[in-house]
C-alpha cells in the first residue's frame, strides 16, 4: 500500500531510529545559506528521449526537504545546503533563477534547449515552491524545448504538470526513486514512499503529457557490492516496465557531509561503489527498454565512486560515453589490474564483512 | 545450546576448539569452505534455511557495520531462531548478548573492518562480545585476517577467520607474511617455501600472490593452534605482534583488561614463560604470582631475611650459587630470591609456577620497568612480613633496588657483597653476619613449606586452616602432608609446586576459613572427569589448573579444574574438571 506523505506514513521502529539518528547527525552542520543564492548552477549535456541536449542545470535553494527535517534519507546531505528554518519567499526564489540565467549568459553562446531544476526536496511541493513561483518559473523558461523538475512522487499531479506542458514544454518529472525494492528504500535509504506511489506518479505524469525520469541510488548503506549491483539491475528492469518512465539515472552513492553514510564511511563501515560496478550494471542492462545514464559525482575520490586510482578517469570517460550513445561496447576498451580486486570483492564481500577493499 | 562447538585447549583468551561439523574443523581456523550464508535481511525477506551438519549456516542476518548509529543498531537487530543444525548469528558487540539467547554455535562481528588497525576499539569490542556470548561458542571476525594479525586475533579470543582479506591483498600485489606486508614489485626474493613461491620472482604474478597469501595464512593458523596446545601463545605474541604497531597495542591493551585475561589464564602449565621484554612483566602469570606472594603468603620463620639474586638454573636451590649461599647461611635465615620477571620468591615457593618455569634474557642489566617492578613487589612483601634483620646479599644492580626500598620503608638493610655474591669474601661476610643467629630445623622448614604453598594456592591463612596439625612424610620436594592420625591430606607436586588434595584434605579445606572453590554437580558419581553439562554451578573464582572440590547429591570428589568457573557454568560441552578422588554418598 502506498502512503501519500511523510506525516501520515506509519512510522516503523526502523524508520524512527533512522530519523532520530539522522536528526542528530544533521544537527552537526553549522552553515546557513543566503536565500537569494541558488545552491548550484551548471551547464552540461544530457541524453533525452528527444536526443542529446545542452542543459542548464539548477539546484534551487528552497528551504529544504521536509522529509530531511524529520531526519530523512541516510545518504542525503542536501538539507545541509538549505536555508535555515522555513520557506524561501517568492521574490528570493526568482532572484535565484535570475542568477542562474546570468550564469548561462556568461558561459554559453545560446540558451540551453533543456532546463533541469532540482531543489533540496520537491519542486512540486507547494510548501517549497509556491504555485505562483512555479508558474513564474514555467513562464521564464517557456521558450526552451524541455524542462525537468525534481519531485517526490506524492506531489506529482496533473494540474501542476500542466503549468509546464501548457506552455509547450516537453516535461519530465525527476523522481528520486533510489530503488524499486520497497524494503531497501525503507530500511537502507529511509525514504518513505513505495514503488506503487512511483507507478501512480508515472501514470499521472503520462496523462498530463509528461514523462518520468527515475533516479536510482547505486549502493545504499548496509548492502554489499554484489547486493547493491543486483538491486540496481532489478530496479532498472522494473523501471523499464513502468509506462511513462523513459529514463533511469543511476547515481552511484557518494559520501555527503552530515549523513549516516558519512558516519559509516568514517568508521570503515561503508565504501562507495566501484566504477566497475557502474560499468557492469550499464553493460548488463543495455538491452532494457529504457535510457540508462549515470553521472558518477566525485568519481575517483574516496568519498565518491572509485576504482584503484589509476583507471578512474578512463572508466568515468567510458561511462559518459555510454550515457550519450547507450553502446555497451564502450566498456570493452577499458581494463585495469584492479578489475580482479573488484571481481574478488563482488564474489566474496558480504554485508557483514564490508568493505573488503577500500 | 551450542551443540556444534567445543573448546579443547585454553591458553589465556585463546583456545583450540572444534567446529563439530560432519567433517570437524580444528579452530582457530578458516571457515571459507564450511560457511553457508542464508543471506542478508537488508535487501529482502529470507527463509530460515533447512541447514545441515556439513556446514556452518549463517542465519538470515542484518549486518550492522562500523558507524551504524546506536538507535539503528537496536531497531534493526535480528532475533535469531533456535535451529537444530550448526549455525552462526551476525551481531554487533552490543547486540551480541540479546542474540545469544538462541544459542547459536558461532557469532560473526559485522564491524570487524572498523576494529582492525584500531587497538582500543578492537579490544573493547572483542572483550565485550566474548563476555556476552557463551564460552563454548565460536567468535568469527570476517574479512580481516592476515598472516601477521591472526595470532593476535586468536590471542584476543577470535576462533574463526576467512581468506577474503588475504586474497584481496593478493589481487593488489601485496605479499603477506607473519612479519607484515610487502609490495610484490619490491621483492627480490620470495621469503616463503610454499608451493606458490617455488618459482622465479619474475614469473610470480598476482594470482600466485593470492595463493601464497592463503598458504601463509594457513601456516600462521597452524602455528597459533600449536602454540595454544603447548601453552605458549603469549610468548609468541610478544615477539611476533611487534611487527605491527596496532597488534602490539592490542596485546598491551589486553593486559589492561586484566579481569578478562586472568579468568582465562591457567594457574599452572608445563610450558616456560619466555621473559624477553618488559611486556612479560604484565603477563597474568607474573602479576598473579606477585599478587599472591604479597597478599596471600606470609613468612612463618622468626629468622632474619637474606635477599639473594636468582639463578639461571631452577629450582634455585639446585644451582651452584644458591648452594654456596646455603653453605654460608646454614638455616640461620629465611632466603628470598629477587628476580625479574617474577619479583621476589620466598624459598618455600621456589617450585611454585611460574617460579621455576621461566627463562629470562640475562644481560646483567635491568630495564627501568624491571627495576621498578621488583622494587614495588619487594616493598609490598616487606610491608607484610616483619623480619628482625634484612641482609641483602646481592650484586650491584640488585643493590640499587634494595636501596630504593630501604628508603621507602625507612629501614636499614645489611649489605654483605663485595664485588660479586659468590666471591670468598662475600660468602664469608654472609656467614659471619649470621653466625649468632639460631638455626631452624628440618621439621619447621617442611611444615612452613607446605603451609606456605597452601596459603599461596588457597588464600591467606589457608596453610594454618587446612594443616592445623601436621605430620610431614617423605623428602623435599615430594612432601606429603598427614594429619595427627596419619591420614594423608595432600601431596606437594614438585613440577608445579602446588598441593594436590586427598578427600580428607578437601574436607579440611571446606572446614577452614579459606575460600573454597566448589563445583556443584548433578546426581551422578563422576569417574575420571566431570563434563560441563553435568555442572550445576561453579564458583566464579575457579581457574584452569585450580584444585576444586566437586559436590553433588551422590558424590564428593576432589580434582583439578579444566575450565574456569564461569566457563563450567555456561558451557554445554567439554571436560570441566578432572577428578582425582571420589566417594559416593
Ligand atoms: S534524498 Fe530527497 S527526500 Fe531524501 S532527504 Fe534528500 S532531499 Fe529529502
Ligand atoms: Zn584500476
Ligand atoms: Zn609462499
Amino acid at each position: 500500500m502506498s502512503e501519500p506523505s511523510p506525516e501520515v506514513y506509519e512510522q516503523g521502529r526502523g524508520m524512527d531510529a533512522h530519523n532520530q539518528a539522522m536528526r542528530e547527525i544533521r544537527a552537526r552542520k553549522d552553515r546557513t545559506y543566503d536565500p537569494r543564492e541558488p545552491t548550484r548552477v551548471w551547464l552540461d549535456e544530457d541524453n533525452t528521449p528527444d536526443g542529446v541536449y545542452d542543459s542548464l542545470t539548477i539546484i534551487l535553494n528552497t528551504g529544504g526537504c521536509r522529509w530531511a527535517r524529520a531526519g530523512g534519507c541516510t545518504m542525503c546531505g542536501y538539507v545541509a545546503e538549505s536555508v535555515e528554518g522555513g520557506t524561501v519567499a517568492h521574490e528570493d526564489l526568482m532572484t535565484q533563477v535570475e542568477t542562474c540565467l546570468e550564469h548561462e549568459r556568461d558561459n554559453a553562446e545560446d540558451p540551453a534547449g533543456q532546463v533541469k531544476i532540482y531543489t533540496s526536496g520537491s519542486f512540486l511541493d507547494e510548501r517549497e515552491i509556491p504555485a505562483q513561483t512555479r508558474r513564474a518559473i514555467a513562464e521564464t523558461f517557456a521558450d526552451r524545448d524541455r524542462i525537468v523538475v525534481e519531485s517526490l512522487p506524492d506531489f506529482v499531479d496533473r494540474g501542476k504538470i500542466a503549468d509546464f506542458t501548457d506552455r509547450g514544454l516537453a516535461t519530465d518529472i525527476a523522481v528520486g526513486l533510489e530503488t524499486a525494492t520497497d524494503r531497501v528504500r525503507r530500511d537502507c535509504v529511509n525514504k518513505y514512499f513505495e514503488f506503487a506511489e512511483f507507478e501512480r506518479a508515472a501514470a499521472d505524469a503520462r496523462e498530463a503529457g509528461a514523462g518520468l525520469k527515475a533516479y536510482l541510488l547505486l549502493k545504499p548503506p548496509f548492502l554489499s557490492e554484489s547486493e547493491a549491483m543486483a538491486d540496481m539491475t532489478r530496479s532498472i528492469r522494473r523501471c523499464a516496465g513502468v509506462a511513462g518512465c523513459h529514463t533511469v539515472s543511476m547515481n552511484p552513492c557518494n559520501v555527503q557531509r552530515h549523513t549516516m553514510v558519512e558516519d559509516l564511511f568514517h568508521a570503515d563501515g561503508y565504501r562507495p561503489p566501484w566504477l566497475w560496478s557502474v560499468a557492469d550494471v550499464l553493460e548488463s542492462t543495455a538491452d532494457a527498454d529504457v535510457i540508462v545514464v549515470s553521472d558518477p559525482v566525485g568519481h575517483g575520490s574516496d568519498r565518491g565512486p572509485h576504482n584503484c586510482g589509476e583507471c578512474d578517469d578512463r572508466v568515468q570517460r567510458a561511462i559518459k560515453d555510454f550515457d550519450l550513445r547507450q553502446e555497451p561496447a564502450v566498456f570493452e576498451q577499458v581494463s585495469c589490474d584492479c578489475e580482479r580486486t573488484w571481481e574478488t570483492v563482488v564474489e566474496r564481500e558480504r554485508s557483514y564483512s564490508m568493505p573488503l577493499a577500500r | 545450546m551450542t551443540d556444534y562447538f567445543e573448546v579443547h585447549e585454553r591458553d589465556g583468551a585463546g583456545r583450540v576448539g572444534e567446529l563439530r561439523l560432519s567433517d570437524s574443523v580444528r579452530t582457530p581456523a578458516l571457515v571459507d569452505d564450511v560457511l553457508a550464508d542464508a543471506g542478508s535481511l537488508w535487501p529482502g525477506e529470507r527463509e530460515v534455511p533447512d541447514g545441515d551438519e556439513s556446514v556452518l549456516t549463517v542465519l538470515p542476518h542484518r549486518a550492522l557495520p562500523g558507524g551504524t548509529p546506536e538507535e539503528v543498531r537496536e531497531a534493526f537487530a535480528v532475533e535469531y531462531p533456535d535451529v537444530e543444525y550448526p549455525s552462526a548469528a551476525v551481531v554487533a558487540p552490543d547486540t551480541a548478548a540479546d542474540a545469544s539467547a538462541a544459542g547459536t554455535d558461532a557469532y560473526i562481528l559485522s564491524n570487524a573492518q572498523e576494529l582492525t588497525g584500531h587497538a582500543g576499539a578492537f579490544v573493547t569490542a572483542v572483550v565485550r562480545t566474548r563476555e556476552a556470548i557463551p564460552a563454548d561458542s565460536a567468535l568469527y571476525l570476517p574479512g580481516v585476517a592476515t598472516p601477521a594479525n591472526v595470532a593476535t586475533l586468536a590471542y584476543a579470543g577470535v576462533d574463526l577467520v576467512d581468506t577474503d582479506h588475504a586474497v584481496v591483498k593478493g589481487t593488489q600485489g601485496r605479499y603477506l607474511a607473519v612479519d607484515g606486508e610487502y609490495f610484490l614489485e619490491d621483492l627480490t626474493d620470495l621469503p616463503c617455501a610454499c608451493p606458490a613461491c617455488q618459482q622465479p620472482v619474475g614469473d610470480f604474478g598476482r594470482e600466485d600472490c593470492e595463493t601464497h597469501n592463503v598458504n601463509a595464512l594457513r601456516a600462521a593458523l597452524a602455528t597459533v593452534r600449536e602454540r595454544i596446545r603447548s601453552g605458549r601463545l603469549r610468548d609468541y605474541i610478544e615477539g611476533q605482534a611487534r611487527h605491527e604497531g596496532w597488534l602490539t597495542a592490542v596485546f598491551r591493551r589486553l593486559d589492561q583488561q586484566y579481569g578478562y585475561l586472568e579468568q582465562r589464564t591457567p594457574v599452572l602449565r608445563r610450558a616456560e614463560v619466555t621473559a624477553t621484554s618488559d611486556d612479560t612483566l604484565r603477563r597474568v602469570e607474573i602479576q598473579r604470582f606477585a599478587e599472591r606472594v604479597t597478599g596471600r603468603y606470609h613468612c612463618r620463620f622468626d629468622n632474619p631475611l637474606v635477599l639473594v639474586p636468582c639463578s639461571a638454573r631452577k629450582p634455585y636451590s639446585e644451582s651452584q650459587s644458591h648452594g654456596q649461599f646455603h653453605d654460608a647461611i646454614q638455616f640461620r635465615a629465611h632466603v628470598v630470591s629477587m628476580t625479574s620477571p617474577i619479583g621476589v620468591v620466598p624459598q618455600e615457593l621456589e617450585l611454585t609456577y611460574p617460579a621455576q618455569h621461566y627463562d629470562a634474557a640475562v644481560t646483567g642489566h635491568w630495564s627501568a620497568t624491571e627495576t621498578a617492578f621488583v622494587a614495588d613487589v619487594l616493598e609490598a612483601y616487606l610491608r607484610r612480613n616483619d623480619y628482625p634483620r634484612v641482609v641483602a646479599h646481592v650484586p650491584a644492580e640488585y643493590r640499587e633496588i634494595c636501596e630504593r626500598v630501604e628508603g621507602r620503608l625507612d629501614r636499614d638493610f645489611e649489605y654483605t657483597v663485595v664485588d660479586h655474591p659468590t666471591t670468598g669474601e662475600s660468602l664469608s661476610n654472609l656467614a659471619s653476619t649470621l653466625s649468632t643467629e639460631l638455626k631452624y630445623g628440618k621439621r619447621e622448614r617442611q611444615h612452613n613449606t607446605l603451609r606456605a604453598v597452601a596459603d599461596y594456592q588457597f588464600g591467606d591463612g589457608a596453610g594454618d586452616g587446612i594443616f592445623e596439625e601436621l605430620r610431614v612424610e617423605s623428602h623435599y620436594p615430594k612432601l606429603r602432608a598427614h594429619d595427627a592420625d596419619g591420614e594423608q591430606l595432600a601431596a606437594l607436586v614438585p613440577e608445579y609446586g602446588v598441593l594436590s588434595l586427598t578427600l580428607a584434605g578437601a574436607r579440611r579445606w571446606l572446614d577452614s576459613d579459606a575460600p573454597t572453590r566448589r563445583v556443584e554437580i548433578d546426581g551422578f558419581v563422576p569417574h575420571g572427569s566431570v563434563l560441563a553439562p553435568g555442572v550445576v554451578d561453579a564458583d566464579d573464582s575457579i581457574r584452569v589448573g585450580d584444585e576444586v572440590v566437586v559436590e553433588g547429591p551422590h558424590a564428593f570428589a576432589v580434582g583439578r579444574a579444566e575450565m574456569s568457573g564461569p566457563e563450567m557454568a555456561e558451557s554445554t560441552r567439554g571436560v570441566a574438571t578432572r577428578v582425582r578422588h571420589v566417594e559416593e554418598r
Side-chain angles (χ1 to χ4, degrees):
Chain A
M1 225 199 70
S2 161
E3 300 294 341
S5 80
E7 282 78 11
V8 297
Y9 188 87
E10 196 239 272
Q11 303 205 335
R13 196 163 168 239
M15 193 160 274
D16 282 349
H18 274 317
N19 281 336
Q20 192 187 330
M22 281 301 293
R23 278 197 303 276
E24 281 163 22
I25 292 165
R26 293 192 201 287
R28 291 179 215 148
K29 65 148 187 164
D30 51 5
R31 294 170 68 189
T32 54
Y33 291 82
D34 183 341
R36 281 153 313 193
E37 285 282 321
T39 301
R40 249 184 103 196
V41 53
W42 72 95
L43 299 165
D44 58 8
E45 242 187 359
D46 281 296
N47 191 348
T48 78
D50 309 325
V52 175
Y53 265 85
D54 284 326
S55 298
L56 168 65
T57 305
I58 298 169
I59 301 181
L60 283 182
N61 186 359
T62 62
C65 164
R66 282 185 298 126
W67 179 233
R69 268 184 256 157
C73 305
T74 52
M75 75 306 179
C76 173
Y78 285 135
V79 71
E81 293 172 11
S82 305
V83 285
E84 184 104 51
T87 28
V88 178
H90 171 75
E91 293 69 29
D92 289 337
L93 286 166
M94 293 316 289
T95 309
Q96 290 184 33
V97 171
E98 190 44 49
T99 308
C100 296
L101 288 169
E102 237 167 73
H103 176 88
E104 187 183 37
R105 283 192 293 273
D106 292 349
N107 294 285
E109 311 254 301
D110 303 307
Q114 170 169 272
V115 177
K116 296 187 291 179
I117 308 177
Y118 304 96
T119 69
S120 320
S122 292
F123 186 87
L124 299 181
D125 178 356
E126 295 190 345
R127 277 168 291 190
E128 265 186 70
I129 306 280
Q132 175 200 13
T133 315
R134 182 174 68 239
R135 287 182 198 120
I137 291 175
E139 195 51 46
T140 306
F141 294 114
D143 58 334
R144 315 284 171 128
D145 298 341
R146 301 184 51 83
I147 190 160
V148 179
V149 295
E150 181 191 22
S151 179
L152 287 168
D154 15 335
F155 304 110
V156 174
D157 78 45
R158 266 166 284 174
K160 293 175 189 167
I161 296 171
D163 287 341
F164 302 99
T165 47
D166 288 355
R167 288 176 171 83
L169 281 161
T171 306
D172 280 339
I173 314 298
V175 176
L177 176 65
E178 317 304 359
T179 165
T181 314
D182 286 338
R183 188 181 177 100
V184 172
R185 193 180 318 98
R186 186 189 66 213
D187 292 348
C188 301
V189 181
N190 194 41
K191 208 165 226 183
Y192 60 85
F193 66 83
E194 297 192 355
F195 191 69
E197 184 67 22
F198 173 79
E199 290 177 307
R200 189 213 46 87
D204 272 19
R206 213 155 85 102
E207 276 178 51
L212 221 65
K213 193 174 172 186
Y215 280 69
L216 299 181
L217 179 73
L218 176 63
K219 205 173 178 188
F222 308 111
L223 297 189
S224 67
E225 195 79 17
S226 61
E227 286 165 350
M229 288 167 67
D231 186 61
M232 178 54 69
T233 308
R234 194 167 54 229
S235 295
I236 289 172
R237 295 198 183 278
R238 278 191 77 185
C239 287
V242 174
C245 175
H246 53 68
T247 304
V248 167
S249 176
M250 164 168 47
N251 296 325
C253 186
N254 60 60
V255 180
Q256 297 177 5
R257 299 267 290 141
H258 307 304
T259 60
M260 194 181 295
V261 165
E262 188 184 44
D263 278 14
L264 293 161
F265 171 76
H266 284 318
D268 290 325
Y270 182 77
R271 182 210 193 274
W274 289 70
L275 289 168
W276 292 126
S277 300
V278 178
D280 188 84
V281 171
L282 290 175
E283 208 177 341
S284 71
T285 56
D287 64 322
D289 186 19
V290 66
I291 298 170
V292 184
V293 296
S294 183
D295 181 11
V297 173
H299 80 278
S301 81
D302 285 357
R303 286 178 161 261
H306 64 275
N307 287 347
C308 68
E310 298 282 323
C311 63
D312 297 67
D313 286 340
R314 275 184 285 135
V315 180
Q316 174 85 356
R317 268 199 303 280
I319 291 168
K320 300 289 266 186
D321 198 11
F322 179 90
D323 287 349
L324 300 179
R325 298 200 286 137
Q326 299 286 293
E327 172 50 64
V330 298
F331 298 116
E332 280 163 25
Q333 281 134 44
V334 281
S335 70
C336 181
D337 277 349
C338 74
E339 265 179 286
R340 193 173 168 87
T341 305
W342 168 74
E343 282 164 11
T344 306
V345 168
V346 170
E347 182 197 325
R348 291 175 175 252
E349 186 178 79
R350 299 281 176 273
S351 56
Y352 57 74
S353 65
M354 67 184 177
L356 220 42
R358 302 291 136 80
Chain B
M1 278 265 289
T2 47
D3 280 333
Y4 297 95
F5 188 71
E6 179 172 343
V7 179
H8 290 297
E9 317 259 355
R10 298 160 185 81
D11 186 15
R15 317 95 65 77
V16 166
E18 180 187 1
L19 199 51
R20 299 162 53 88
L21 308 178
S22 24
D23 290 323
S24 89
V25 178
R26 286 286 153 168
T27 67
L30 299 170
V31 285
D32 299 54
D33 297 340
V34 294
L35 213 61
D37 181 8
S40 168
L41 292 163
W42 284 112
E45 200 52 67
R46 310 272 168 186
E47 294 273 302
V48 175
D50 293 336
D52 72 81
E53 303 210 334
S54 66
V55 288
L56 181 66
T57 299
V58 182
L59 295 170
H61 51 84
R62 238 190 239 103
L64 305 169
T68 308
E70 190 184 338
E71 48 275 57
V72 175
R73 291 200 302 271
E74 271 168 27
F76 285 96
V78 172
E79 234 177 79
Y80 289 99
D82 191 354
V83 294
E84 295 292 304
Y85 49 82
S87 65
V90 173
V91 299
D94 57 350
T95 64
D98 287 343
S100 72
T104 51
D105 304 286
Y107 296 84
I108 306 177
L109 264 190
S110 59
N111 64 335
Q113 302 292 347
E114 177 185 28
L115 307 177
T116 39
H118 306 282
F122 175 87
V123 168
T124 307
V126 171
V127 168
R128 177 160 190 191
T129 308
R130 206 53 279 175
E131 290 189 332
I133 62 178
D136 58 346
S137 61
L139 179 59
Y140 172 22
L141 217 59
V144 297
T146 64
N149 71 23
V150 76
T152 306
L153 302 188
Y155 174 76
V158 172
D159 305 290
L160 307 174
V161 293
D162 55 54
T163 63
D164 292 347
H165 189 63
V167 171
V168 165
K169 285 281 182 183
T171 68
Q172 296 169 327
R174 301 291 209 287
Y175 186 95
L176 304 183
V178 286
D179 60 349
E181 178 176 319
Y182 298 85
F183 284 94
L184 191 49
E185 59 263 35
D186 293 346
L187 286 178
T188 309
D189 275 310
L190 296 172
C192 172
C194 86
C197 294
Q198 302 314 298
Q199 56 178 315
V201 70
D203 300 342
F204 188 91
R206 292 191 175 188
E207 277 182 53
D208 300 317
C209 194
E210 293 164 29
T211 310
H212 157 80
N213 286 354
V214 171
N215 288 342
L217 182 55
R218 276 184 202 288
L221 278 161
T223 303
V224 167
R225 290 192 297 271
E226 277 311 310
R227 280 282 171 166
I228 294 172
R229 289 186 188 110
S230 62
R232 307 194 63 221
L233 182 59
R234 167 65 183 230
D235 308 69
Y236 180 68
I237 290 290
E238 278 187 25
Q240 189 269 335
R242 282 198 150 63
H243 294 294
E244 286 185 22
W246 85 274
L247 297 175
T248 307
V250 164
F251 83 75
R252 288 190 180 153
R253 279 175 182 268
L254 273 168
D255 284 343
Q256 289 156 24
Q257 299 280 338
Y258 185 72
Y260 176 73
L261 284 189
E262 197 279 331
Q263 185 192 314
R264 291 163 174 80
T265 302
V267 293
L268 48 86
R269 9 165 130 76
R270 207 179 295 279
E272 278 197 346
V273 170
T274 311
T276 50
S277 82
D278 280 355
D279 289 310
T280 308
L281 295 171
R282 315 265 18 125
R283 284 182 66 142
V284 167
E285 297 86 340
I286 303 300
Q287 296 288 321
R288 192 188 263 152
F289 188 88
E291 227 169 67
R292 291 185 179 192
V293 165
T294 58
R296 292 182 176 187
Y297 168 87
H298 76 265
C299 175
R300 290 180 169 80
F301 294 94
D302 296 327
N303 304 61
L305 168 66
V306 173
L307 292 168
V308 297
C310 62
S311 61
R313 174 157 189 172
K314 291 154 196 107
Y316 305 135
S317 60
E318 287 177 17
S319 72
Q320 203 190 353
S321 60
H322 280 242
Q324 289 170 306
F325 302 153
H326 173 74
D327 292 343
I329 296 168
Q330 293 283 347
F331 302 117
R332 294 176 202 279
H334 180 230
V335 176
V336 170
S337 300
M338 291 169 66
T339 166
S340 178
I342 308 283
V344 301
V345 181
Q347 63 184 52
E348 307 95 300
L349 298 179
E350 67 163 5
L351 300 176
T352 303
Y353 182 86
Q356 58 164 338
H357 302 79
Y358 71 98
D359 179 25
V362 181
T363 59
H365 177 84
W366 285 8
S367 74
T369 318
E370 287 176 299
T371 304
F373 173 74
V374 178
D376 288 347
V377 176
L378 179 60
E379 179 189 347
Y381 179 84
L382 285 172
R383 286 194 191 281
R384 183 170 158 91
N385 295 291
D386 207 16
Y387 289 95
R389 298 167 63 196
V390 177
V391 177
H393 190 73
V394 293
E397 68 266 22
Y398 290 72
R399 178 158 182 161
E400 207 182 294
I401 296 171
C402 292
E403 283 169 352
R404 200 186 283 195
V405 174
E406 266 186 293
R408 290 194 208 152
L409 296 174
D410 195 22
R411 71 175 291 176
D412 292 329
F413 293 2
E414 300 162 49
Y415 294 93
T416 45
V417 168
V418 181
D419 242 16
H420 193 269
T422 51
T423 60
E425 194 182 350
S426 300
L427 291 168
S428 71
N429 280 352
L430 180 57
S432 61
T433 300
L434 297 170
S435 60
T436 56
E437 301 290 341
L438 297 175
K439 288 187 182 183
Y440 49 80
K442 178 175 159 198
R443 185 173 167 276
E444 184 178 0
R445 204 167 74 228
Q446 292 181 331
H447 281 208
N448 287 358
T449 298
L450 287 171
R451 289 194 169 116
V453 173
D455 286 345
Y456 177 93
Q457 197 177 344
F458 301 113
D460 196 359
D464 298 324
I466 299 172
F467 303 130
E468 222 170 339
E469 10 159 85
L470 183 59
R471 274 177 39 202
V472 178
E473 290 190 7
S474 189
H475 300 284
Y476 186 82
K478 295 185 172 169
L479 300 177
R480 288 198 307 268
H482 294 250
D483 67 11
D485 304 331
E487 181 160 22
Q488 189 181 338
L489 302 176
L492 184 64
V493 182
E495 295 92 315
Y496 304 116
V498 296
L499 297 167
S500 64
L501 299 176
T502 62
L503 288 173
R507 275 192 207 93
R508 292 293 177 91
W509 183 18
L510 287 183
D511 292 343
S512 77
D513 290 337
T516 39
R517 290 187 276 270
R518 288 179 66 252
V519 178
E520 193 190 320
I521 59 168
D522 271 333
F524 62 94
V525 182
H527 292 287
S529 56
V530 174
L531 298 178
V535 175
V536 176
D537 201 5
D539 285 335
D540 276 351
S541 63
I542 296 171
R543 301 290 172 262
V544 173
D546 262 338
E547 204 68 7
V548 291
V549 172
V550 179
E551 282 187 290
H554 299 307
F556 180 80
V558 64
R560 187 155 289 172
E562 292 286 318
M563 293 178 180
S564 71
E567 191 174 355
M568 287 185 201
E570 68 190 32
S571 290
T572 47
R573 297 204 71 87
V575 175
T577 297
R578 300 261 173 227
V579 171
R580 189 182 310 115
H581 306 292
V582 62
E583 75 184 13
E584 287 188 37
R585 66 181 188 193

